[in-house]
Amino acid sequence: MSIIKDETIKSGRFLSFGILTYKLKDEKTRMWEYVKRTTTPVKTKKNMGVDAIDVIAIIKQTQEIIIITQFRPPVKSYVVEFPSGLVDEGESVQEAAVRELKEEPVAYEPGLTNSKTVMVKVEIDLELEENKNPTQELEDEEDIEVHLVKISELQKTLHKFEENEMVVDVKLATFAVGVNF
């Protein structure tokens, strides 16, 4: 495989649209349209080159999982998903996971972007002082609702969201199938 050209067509605040021209073993020239993240932090030992995370947050005492619903303009619908977000410059994936549980999740699509994403499992101990009275810290343009769902009820709950014409993110749906397999 060889890269011939990586061209940015249009750039915005968080994303840019690019076209990659490349050749595979057969020497045929191909083109691939994709979205590049403009906020990717410099790769360090701390962030491992990862720029986005999904958080599987489980409440230790109740075996509930935290999922969210938020309006996603590209699909013109509310989406049910794991809390997720970007890794900030100088931040580890674990630090990003904790911060994102307090802040706002953001969307990404690995087949569409150059994003490098990991899943981070977080166990929340409600007996710890910092977890006793959590408050959501949304930005002005965000509309995010947090839901606590028993892991054993997750698949059934996701079906109810779908019945209410919400989109269920494929990562969350796959997780739900896996825990009931």
mmCIF file of all heavy atoms in Angstrom, residues 47-71:
data_model
loop_
_atom_site.group_PDB
_atom_site.id
_atom_site.type_symbol
_atom_site.label_atom_id
_atom_site.label_comp_id
_atom_site.label_asym_id
_atom_site.label_seq_id
_atom_site.Cartn_x
_atom_site.Cartn_y
_atom_site.Cartn_z
ATOM 1 N N ASN A 47 -1.552 9.298 26.099
ATOM 2 C CA ASN A 47 -2.796 9.166 25.325
ATOM 3 C C ASN A 47 -2.738 8.070 24.266
ATOM 4 O O ASN A 47 -3.734 7.787 23.625
ATOM 5 C CB ASN A 47 -3.209 10.498 24.704
ATOM 6 C CG ASN A 47 -2.300 10.972 23.596
ATOM 7 O OD1 ASN A 47 -1.566 10.203 22.967
ATOM 8 N ND2 ASN A 47 -2.314 12.264 23.345
ATOM 9 N N MET A 48 -1.581 7.468 24.033
ATOM 10 C CA MET A 48 -1.390 6.360 23.090
ATOM 11 C C MET A 48 -1.856 6.697 21.677
ATOM 12 O O MET A 48 -2.202 5.809 20.916
ATOM 13 C CB MET A 48 -2.108 5.102 23.602
ATOM 14 C CG MET A 48 -1.711 4.679 24.993
ATOM 15 S SD MET A 48 -2.712 3.330 25.661
ATOM 16 C CE MET A 48 -4.347 4.034 25.705
ATOM 17 N N GLY A 49 -1.953 7.971 21.341
ATOM 18 C CA GLY A 49 -2.429 8.360 20.013
ATOM 19 C C GLY A 49 -3.934 8.290 19.863
ATOM 20 O O GLY A 49 -4.464 8.468 18.775
ATOM 21 N N VAL A 50 -4.643 8.027 20.946
ATOM 22 C CA VAL A 50 -6.100 7.919 20.938
ATOM 23 C C VAL A 50 -6.691 9.320 21.047
ATOM 24 O O VAL A 50 -6.240 10.125 21.853
ATOM 25 C CB VAL A 50 -6.589 7.036 22.110
ATOM 26 C CG1 VAL A 50 -8.091 7.083 22.245
ATOM 27 C CG2 VAL A 50 -6.103 5.608 21.921
ATOM 28 N N ASP A 51 -7.701 9.608 20.245
ATOM 29 C CA ASP A 51 -8.304 10.941 20.299
ATOM 30 C C ASP A 51 -9.758 10.936 20.731
ATOM 31 O O ASP A 51 -10.348 11.981 20.932
ATOM 32 C CB ASP A 51 -8.149 11.675 18.971
ATOM 33 C CG ASP A 51 -8.795 10.961 17.798
ATOM 34 O OD1 ASP A 51 -9.382 9.885 17.997
ATOM 35 O OD2 ASP A 51 -8.702 11.477 16.683
ATOM 36 N N ALA A 52 -10.344 9.743 20.894
ATOM 37 C CA ALA A 52 -11.747 9.678 21.312
ATOM 38 C C ALA A 52 -11.972 8.430 22.161
ATOM 39 O O ALA A 52 -11.273 7.430 22.016
ATOM 40 C CB ALA A 52 -12.666 9.662 20.092
ATOM 41 N N ILE A 53 -12.960 8.530 23.042
ATOM 42 C CA ILE A 53 -13.260 7.423 23.949
ATOM 43 C C ILE A 53 -14.761 7.204 24.033
ATOM 44 O O ILE A 53 -15.548 8.130 23.849
ATOM 45 C CB ILE A 53 -12.704 7.684 25.373
ATOM 46 C CG1 ILE A 53 -13.086 9.093 25.860
ATOM 47 C CG2 ILE A 53 -11.219 7.516 25.429
ATOM 48 C CD1 ILE A 53 -13.797 9.125 27.130
ATOM 49 N N ASP A 54 -15.147 5.965 24.283
ATOM 50 C CA ASP A 54 -16.496 5.599 24.702
ATOM 51 C C ASP A 54 -16.343 5.072 26.115
ATOM 52 O O ASP A 54 -15.395 4.347 26.416
ATOM 53 C CB ASP A 54 -17.087 4.494 23.827
ATOM 54 C CG ASP A 54 -17.605 5.008 22.506
ATOM 55 O OD1 ASP A 54 -18.021 6.168 22.450
ATOM 56 O OD2 ASP A 54 -17.596 4.235 21.535
ATOM 57 N N VAL A 55 -17.269 5.426 26.990
ATOM 58 C CA VAL A 55 -17.150 5.043 28.397
ATOM 59 C C VAL A 55 -18.250 4.049 28.763
ATOM 60 O O VAL A 55 -19.433 4.348 28.633
ATOM 61 C CB VAL A 55 -17.240 6.286 29.317
ATOM 62 C CG1 VAL A 55 -17.013 5.874 30.776
ATOM 63 C CG2 VAL A 55 -16.231 7.355 28.900
ATOM 64 N N ILE A 56 -17.833 2.873 29.213
ATOM 65 C CA ILE A 56 -18.764 1.901 29.775
ATOM 66 C C ILE A 56 -18.715 2.137 31.279
ATOM 67 O O ILE A 56 -17.790 1.705 31.958
ATOM 68 C CB ILE A 56 -18.361 0.452 29.435
ATOM 69 C CG1 ILE A 56 -18.300 0.258 27.914
ATOM 70 C CG2 ILE A 56 -19.336 -0.536 30.081
ATOM 71 C CD1 ILE A 56 -17.742 -1.084 27.484
ATOM 72 N N ALA A 57 -19.691 2.884 31.790
ATOM 73 C CA ALA A 57 -19.706 3.279 33.198
ATOM 74 C C ALA A 57 -20.744 2.453 33.942
ATOM 75 O O ALA A 57 -21.934 2.521 33.649
ATOM 76 C CB ALA A 57 -20.009 4.760 33.325
ATOM 77 N N ILE A 58 -20.274 1.673 34.904
ATOM 78 C CA ILE A 58 -21.145 0.776 35.656
ATOM 79 C C ILE A 58 -21.154 1.194 37.121
ATOM 80 O O ILE A 58 -20.103 1.392 37.726
ATOM 81 C CB ILE A 58 -20.676 -0.688 35.507
ATOM 82 C CG1 ILE A 58 -20.752 -1.084 34.020
ATOM 83 C CG2 ILE A 58 -21.502 -1.625 36.384
ATOM 84 C CD1 ILE A 58 -20.166 -2.417 33.677
ATOM 85 N N ILE A 59 -22.342 1.327 37.666
ATOM 86 C CA ILE A 59 -22.496 1.640 39.084
ATOM 87 C C ILE A 59 -22.259 0.352 39.870
ATOM 88 O O ILE A 59 -22.996 -0.631 39.700
ATOM 89 C CB ILE A 59 -23.906 2.198 39.404
ATOM 90 C CG1 ILE A 59 -24.274 3.371 38.480
ATOM 91 C CG2 ILE A 59 -24.011 2.560 40.882
ATOM 92 C CD1 ILE A 59 -23.441 4.601 38.641
ATOM 93 N N LYS A 60 -21.236 0.353 40.690
ATOM 94 C CA LYS A 60 -20.815 -0.840 41.430
ATOM 95 C C LYS A 60 -21.936 -1.427 42.284
ATOM 96 O O LYS A 60 -22.205 -2.623 42.240
ATOM 97 C CB LYS A 60 -19.617 -0.463 42.308
ATOM 98 C CG LYS A 60 -19.050 -1.570 43.137
ATOM 99 C CD LYS A 60 -17.866 -1.046 43.945
ATOM 100 C CE LYS A 60 -17.330 -2.113 44.865
ATOM 101 N NZ LYS A 60 -16.196 -1.623 45.651
ATOM 102 N N GLN A 61 -22.600 -0.590 43.055
ATOM 103 C CA GLN A 61 -23.578 -1.084 44.022
ATOM 104 C C GLN A 61 -24.858 -1.630 43.388
ATOM 105 O O GLN A 61 -25.494 -2.517 43.931
ATOM 106 C CB GLN A 61 -23.953 0.027 45.023
ATOM 107 C CG GLN A 61 -22.876 0.344 46.022
ATOM 108 C CD GLN A 61 -21.774 1.258 45.474
ATOM 109 O OE1 GLN A 61 -21.793 1.647 44.320
ATOM 110 N NE2 GLN A 61 -20.810 1.582 46.310
ATOM 111 N N THR A 62 -25.259 -1.091 42.246
ATOM 112 C CA THR A 62 -26.558 -1.460 41.672
ATOM 113 C C THR A 62 -26.457 -2.246 40.365
ATOM 114 O O THR A 62 -27.473 -2.688 39.840
ATOM 115 C CB THR A 62 -27.385 -0.182 41.385
ATOM 116 O OG1 THR A 62 -26.671 0.619 40.425
ATOM 117 C CG2 THR A 62 -27.637 0.598 42.661
ATOM 118 N N GLN A 63 -25.224 -2.367 39.829
ATOM 119 C CA GLN A 63 -25.013 -3.016 38.535
ATOM 120 C C GLN A 63 -25.850 -2.353 37.441
ATOM 121 O O GLN A 63 -26.421 -3.011 36.575
ATOM 122 C CB GLN A 63 -25.269 -4.522 38.607
ATOM 123 C CG GLN A 63 -24.171 -5.258 39.353
ATOM 124 C CD GLN A 63 -22.808 -5.055 38.711
ATOM 125 O OE1 GLN A 63 -22.568 -5.553 37.618
ATOM 126 N NE2 GLN A 63 -21.916 -4.299 39.346
ATOM 127 N N GLU A 64 -25.921 -1.013 37.501
ATOM 128 C CA GLU A 64 -26.568 -0.238 36.450
ATOM 129 C C GLU A 64 -25.482 0.332 35.545
ATOM 130 O O GLU A 64 -24.365 0.595 35.983
ATOM 131 C CB GLU A 64 -27.375 0.916 37.049
ATOM 132 C CG GLU A 64 -28.593 0.456 37.820
ATOM 133 C CD GLU A 64 -29.291 1.604 38.507
ATOM 134 O OE1 GLU A 64 -28.624 2.342 39.252
ATOM 135 O OE2 GLU A 64 -30.507 1.759 38.301
ATOM 136 N N ILE A 65 -25.834 0.517 34.304
ATOM 137 C CA ILE A 65 -24.923 1.118 33.333
ATOM 138 C C ILE A 65 -25.444 2.508 32.984
ATOM 139 O O ILE A 65 -26.652 2.731 32.958
ATOM 140 C CB ILE A 65 -24.784 0.226 32.074
ATOM 141 C CG1 ILE A 65 -23.666 0.745 31.169
ATOM 142 C CG2 ILE A 65 -26.102 0.100 31.341
ATOM 143 C CD1 ILE A 65 -23.236 -0.259 30.114
ATOM 144 N N ILE A 66 -24.527 3.424 32.748
ATOM 145 C CA ILE A 66 -24.918 4.778 32.357
ATOM 146 C C ILE A 66 -24.949 4.847 30.839
ATOM 147 O O ILE A 66 -23.962 4.532 30.165
ATOM 148 C CB ILE A 66 -23.931 5.828 32.904
ATOM 149 C CG1 ILE A 66 -23.961 5.837 34.431
ATOM 150 C CG2 ILE A 66 -24.252 7.218 32.339
ATOM 151 C CD1 ILE A 66 -22.912 6.744 35.062
ATOM 152 N N ILE A 67 -26.107 5.215 30.308
ATOM 153 C CA ILE A 67 -26.228 5.490 28.873
ATOM 154 C C ILE A 67 -26.843 6.877 28.746
ATOM 155 O O ILE A 67 -27.389 7.412 29.710
ATOM 156 C CB ILE A 67 -27.077 4.425 28.126
ATOM 157 C CG1 ILE A 67 -28.494 4.353 28.682
ATOM 158 C CG2 ILE A 67 -26.373 3.075 28.170
ATOM 159 C CD1 ILE A 67 -29.419 3.424 27.902
ATOM 160 N N ILE A 68 -26.724 7.454 27.579
ATOM 161 C CA ILE A 68 -27.269 8.794 27.374
ATOM 162 C C ILE A 68 -28.114 8.840 26.114
ATOM 163 O O ILE A 68 -27.988 7.987 25.237
ATOM 164 C CB ILE A 68 -26.154 9.860 27.286
ATOM 165 C CG1 ILE A 68 -25.252 9.583 26.080
ATOM 166 C CG2 ILE A 68 -25.344 9.933 28.566
ATOM 167 C CD1 ILE A 68 -24.540 10.806 25.575
ATOM 168 N N THR A 69 -28.979 9.833 26.048
ATOM 169 C CA THR A 69 -29.661 10.168 24.796
ATOM 170 C C THR A 69 -29.329 11.618 24.509
ATOM 171 O O THR A 69 -29.298 12.452 25.415
ATOM 172 C CB THR A 69 -31.187 9.994 24.897
ATOM 173 O OG1 THR A 69 -31.676 10.711 26.028
ATOM 174 C CG2 THR A 69 -31.567 8.537 25.032
ATOM 175 N N GLN A 70 -29.024 11.876 23.261
ATOM 176 C CA GLN A 70 -28.792 13.255 22.856
ATOM 177 C C GLN A 70 -29.146 13.426 21.391
ATOM 178 O O GLN A 70 -29.067 12.483 20.611
ATOM 179 C CB GLN A 70 -27.364 13.715 23.138
ATOM 180 C CG GLN A 70 -26.295 13.191 22.227
ATOM 181 C CD GLN A 70 -24.964 13.865 22.522
ATOM 182 O OE1 GLN A 70 -24.870 15.089 22.606
ATOM 183 N NE2 GLN A 70 -23.940 13.076 22.695
ATOM 184 N N PHE A 71 -29.555 14.644 21.057
ATOM 185 C CA PHE A 71 -29.920 14.929 19.677
ATOM 186 C C PHE A 71 -28.654 15.005 18.831
ATOM 187 O O PHE A 71 -27.705 15.699 19.184
ATOM 188 C CB PHE A 71 -30.680 16.250 19.583
ATOM 189 C CG PHE A 71 -31.164 16.531 18.189
ATOM 190 C CD1 PHE A 71 -32.221 15.814 17.659
ATOM 191 C CD2 PHE A 71 -30.539 17.483 17.398
ATOM 192 C CE1 PHE A 71 -32.672 16.051 16.360
ATOM 193 C CE2 PHE A 71 -30.976 17.737 16.109
ATOM 194 C CZ PHE A 71 -32.042 17.015 15.585
#
